[in-house]
Amino acid sequence: MPHTTPPPLSLLSPPDDTAQQQGDRAAAPNPAPTSPAPTPPAATPAARYPAQAVPGIPALWQHTLGDADVVIGVVDGPPDTSHPCLTGANLEAREPWWLPPTPAGNKLIEHGTFTASVLAGRPGTVLPGLAPGCRLIALGLPADEHVSHDPHSAARAIEELLQAGAHIIQYTPAHHTASHDADPMLKRAIAQAIEAGVLICAPAGNDYGRNSIAPAILPGVLAVGAHRADGAMFLFSNLGPAYHGHGITALGEAVLGAVPSGGIKAQKGTCVSVALVTGTAALLISMQRHLGHAPDPLAVRDALLTTARPCTPEQAHGEPVRCLNGYLDLPAATTLLFPGLPLPAPQPQPTQPPTVAGSG
């Protein structure tokens, strides 16, 4: 991703981690002179399905696959709803009626298809999602690396999903800001959603900390960073004071998702991590309903932040702020939210990547 004139949408192709380890480590802002050397990345990390990427998901699945009354709203590219894993999914694809029709580019469709599959892929298909029982409203905005949308349209997208009854809104596009602030209209829309009790998840972005990303920097938003498959932070995962206190980190490498060709493909980046966190939160909200409680998305947000696992100096490359509040710890969050809930013991994860169709 270029650093001079960044695109408005973070795509699924962040900077290469090999180059990061070799050359970009020296260019990282304010490197600690005594920082321990990062652990070299594995040559070929084992690809993981979404449920394998978040320890604790299979245990929750023993209780719920997601509640049909829990609504996940996503602002991203338009998904390919003809993909086999999305056939029959509780998925509504919407277009921004307030904008003129604009064809979406291939990258944007790939992005939206990946996100939709991680969240809503049907069980027993080529790509099972994290919360297939929930209702997903996928709002596709006409923006990619060549076509941008303004913050007013972004605010309208948030309002559209709020009016549709969303409990969680994953806002994937990245609005880069040098002022560590955001457009007032976007800020008002985000604040209105949070005031209504809606959980907003947003990727921290893939810019080596050189840019603040709205809405991830805004108070109350759950910002999501990315760590590698070996547990070390990606240096491209953004950091900074604007994310302090409301950010969490999840796996952002070698996570499988659907591609428009009909197959699946492993991807990396903070947009991968944010989909995992969104799906995890949707399951926890569904568990609230399963146990007879009113859905409380902000309590889920707070539990995820409170139980985030601190990273080690080695994982943080000597800069603990890189890990934001810490690493996603679903079992700890589940115990905090639902004391006494019996959870099955974690199952061992496969050490070899599964066969991947259509990943070329």
Side-chain angles (χ1 to χ4, degrees):
M1 182 177 291
H3 300 301
T4 51
T5 307
L9 183 68
S10 296
L11 298 177
L12 287 169
S13 301
D16 181 71
D17 192 44
T18 301
Q20 166 188 320
Q21 290 295 313
Q22 295 173 349
D24 292 318
R25 184 166 63 243
N30 301 320
T34 58
S35 299
T39 303
T44 306
R48 309 182 200 190
Y49 290 102
Q52 297 168 334
V54 183
I57 290 292
L60 278 184
W61 277 354
Q62 298 296 315
H63 300 275
T64 179
L65 292 176
D67 191 293
D69 289 329
V70 172
V71 181
I72 308 170
V74 172
V75 181
D76 205 315
D80 176 9
T81 57
S82 69
H83 193 284
C85 80
L86 296 177
T87 300
N90 193 358
L91 166 63
E92 177 188 353
R94 293 191 182 185
E95 296 182 355
W97 54 264
W98 59 92
L99 294 175
T102 304
N106 292 335
K107 284 288 187 182
L108 203 60
I109 296 173
E110 179 183 353
H111 209 284
T113 303
F114 179 92
T115 298
S117 69
V118 169
L119 298 174
R122 297 298 300 157
T125 65
V126 66
L127 200 290
L130 295 178
C134 294
R135 179 186 175 201
L136 176 63
I137 302 177
L139 178 58
L141 287 183
D144 58 19
E145 63 265 42
H146 303 297
V147 181
S148 65
H149 62 271
D150 61 82
H152 292 188
S153 181
R156 188 66 192 88
I158 296 291
E159 293 168 355
E160 177 81 0
L161 293 174
L162 180 59
Q163 292 169 6
H167 296 87
I168 310 172
I169 296 176
Q170 177 180 316
Y171 188 92
T172 314
H175 296 264
H176 295 74
T177 169
S179 66
H180 310 296
D181 203 351
D183 181 271
M185 186 169 286
L186 177 57
K187 289 170 65 176
R188 283 196 296 271
I190 293 289
Q192 180 183 14
I194 294 173
E195 185 177 354
V198 176
L199 167 57
I200 308 291
C201 296
N206 309 315
D207 305 283
Y208 292 85
R210 296 184 178 127
N211 293 281
S212 289
I213 302 298
I217 59 170
L218 297 178
V221 173
L222 185 59
V224 182
H227 68 76
R228 299 196 318 240
D230 63 7
M233 285 298 299
F234 275 118
L235 288 180
F236 62 66
S237 185
N238 284 340
L239 70 157
Y243 301 98
H244 181 70
H246 60 100
I248 196 169
T249 297
L251 180 65
E253 182 178 28
V255 177
L256 292 165
V259 292
S261 64
I264 60 177
K265 182 178 180 179
Q267 303 279 15
K268 72 175 181 179
T270 57
C271 290
V272 172
S273 303
V274 75
L276 295 177
V277 171
T278 298
T280 296
L283 272 188
L284 290 172
I285 296 170
S286 297
M287 180 61 73
Q288 290 174 327
R289 289 186 55 83
H290 176 73
L291 296 176
H293 306 311
D296 190 345
L298 298 188
V300 168
R301 176 200 63 188
D302 294 344
L304 292 174
L305 289 170
T306 298
T307 59
R309 186 175 67 256
C311 60
T312 67
E314 292 76 17
Q315 290 171 330
H317 311 288
E319 298 179 276
V321 293
R322 288 192 174 278
C323 302
L324 306 180
N325 276 49
Y327 287 6
L328 173 65
D329 190 337
L330 175 56
T334 302
T335 299
L336 178 63
L337 285 166
F338 314 112
L341 180 72
L343 293 175
Q347 298 299 310
Q349 299 298 314
T351 56
Q352 297 298 322
T355 301
V356 180
S359 62

